[in-house]
Amino acid sequence: MTAFPAATETGDMMKTAIYPGSFDPCTNGHLDIITRSAKIFDTLIVAVLTNNNKAPAFSVEERIDFLQRVTAGMENVRIAAFSGLLADFARTRGADVIIKGLRAVSDFEYEFQMALTNSKLNPGAETLFMTTSTDNMYLSSSVVREIAMYGGALDGMVPEEIQTKIYDKLRR
Ligand code: COA
């Protein structure tokens, strides 16, 4: 049987991926993509967009804090803020890959356009789509915000360790 040498023995490059988003707030759907991507790449940078047109409910500091809490213990995951173009951020961080989660066919058209645009702006970064697990198909940050606003149960949608903080901010 042929033994495959380790990447370090062959001199292969370490691979860095970026998983960008607003994470307003992060959900179990995001965490699922983060966990699975972190197993594939040497370093995963979760990149939080700061100049968002959507006027986020949570500040950048809060969104970063949530992500840091839910990824504590994942040694190759870094949380970073970015503004401007994702393609430029990927270049400055030396990232080879941009990870996007796909939930439904409705996500595809927009994501396809973004992937083509990003590859035009930075041909060095390849967009990879990862399908969301079926449990999280229906999830989105805005659904989570709406449920929290009216005090509904967030179990199974958002990691337990950040639920109270989400209610504290949003519950009416
Ligand atoms: N599980 C659960 N929810 C998910 C999900 C998953 N796996 N993947 C996406 N979502 C949700 C998000 O929470 C978000 O929900 P919301 O609309 O209720 O807030 C929604 O799906 C859209 O997510 P996404 O497509 O990741 O958009 P985003 O706004 O979070 O992030 C950026 C978009 C940051 C990736 C993009 O705007 C960007 O790259 N901006 C920088 C500017 C740039 O370079 N533009 C491109 C060139 S024109």
Side-chain angles (χ1 to χ4, degrees), residues 18 20 49 82-96 98 114-127:
I18 289 189
L49 182 67
F82 84 103
S83 59
L85 293 175
L86 175 63
D88 290 339
F89 183 70
R91 193 179 290 109
T92 58
R93 292 300 182 106
D96 320 281
I98 295 168
M114 294 280 278
L116 293 177
T117 307
N118 284 328
S119 96
K120 190 113 190 139
L121 295 171
N122 178 359
E126 200 70 60
T127 297

Side-chain angles (χ1 to χ4, degrees), residues 32-100:
D32 168 54
I33 303 282
I34 293 170
T35 308
R36 286 158 57 205
S37 308
K39 288 183 189 151
I40 301 172
F41 296 96
D42 299 297
T43 303
L44 177 71
I45 301 169
V46 181
V48 182
L49 182 67
T50 62
N51 60 332
N52 199 329
N53 295 333
K54 289 183 190 171
F58 294 92
S59 68
V60 172
E61 291 76 18
E62 287 168 323
R63 287 180 278 148
I64 287 179
D65 175 60
F66 292 169
L67 282 162
Q68 279 169 341
R69 285 170 190 271
V70 304
T71 62
M74 297 187 196
E75 284 182 1
N76 61 338
V77 175
R78 310 273 174 273
I79 315 295
F82 84 103
S83 59
L85 293 175
L86 175 63
D88 290 339
F89 183 70
R91 193 179 290 109
T92 58
R93 292 300 182 106
D96 320 281
V97 170
I98 295 168
I99 304 277
K100 290 306 214 58

Side-chain angles (χ1 to χ4, degrees), residues 11-28:
D12 285 357
M13 296 286 285
M14 302 288 269
K15 291 283 179 200
T16 298
I18 289 189
Y19 177 43
S22 314
F23 305 105
D24 187 35
C26 62
T27 67
N28 281 350

Side-chain angles (χ1 to χ4, degrees), residues 58 66 154 158-171:
F58 294 92
F66 292 169
L154 291 176
V158 171
E160 247 179 72
E161 57 266 49
I162 60 170
Q163 287 188 15
T164 310
K165 286 177 178 291
I166 294 173
Y167 285 125
D168 286 350
K169 176 107 186 200
L170 299 180
R171 194 167 184 165

Side-chain angles (χ1 to χ4, degrees), residues 122-148:
N122 178 359
E126 200 70 60
T127 297
L128 283 190
F129 293 112
M130 189 171 274
T131 48
T132 302
S133 53
T134 44
D135 284 354
N136 302 316
M137 283 284 293
Y138 62 96
L139 254 187
S140 73
S141 296
S142 43
V143 161
V144 163
R145 290 198 301 272
E146 190 153 353
I147 293 171

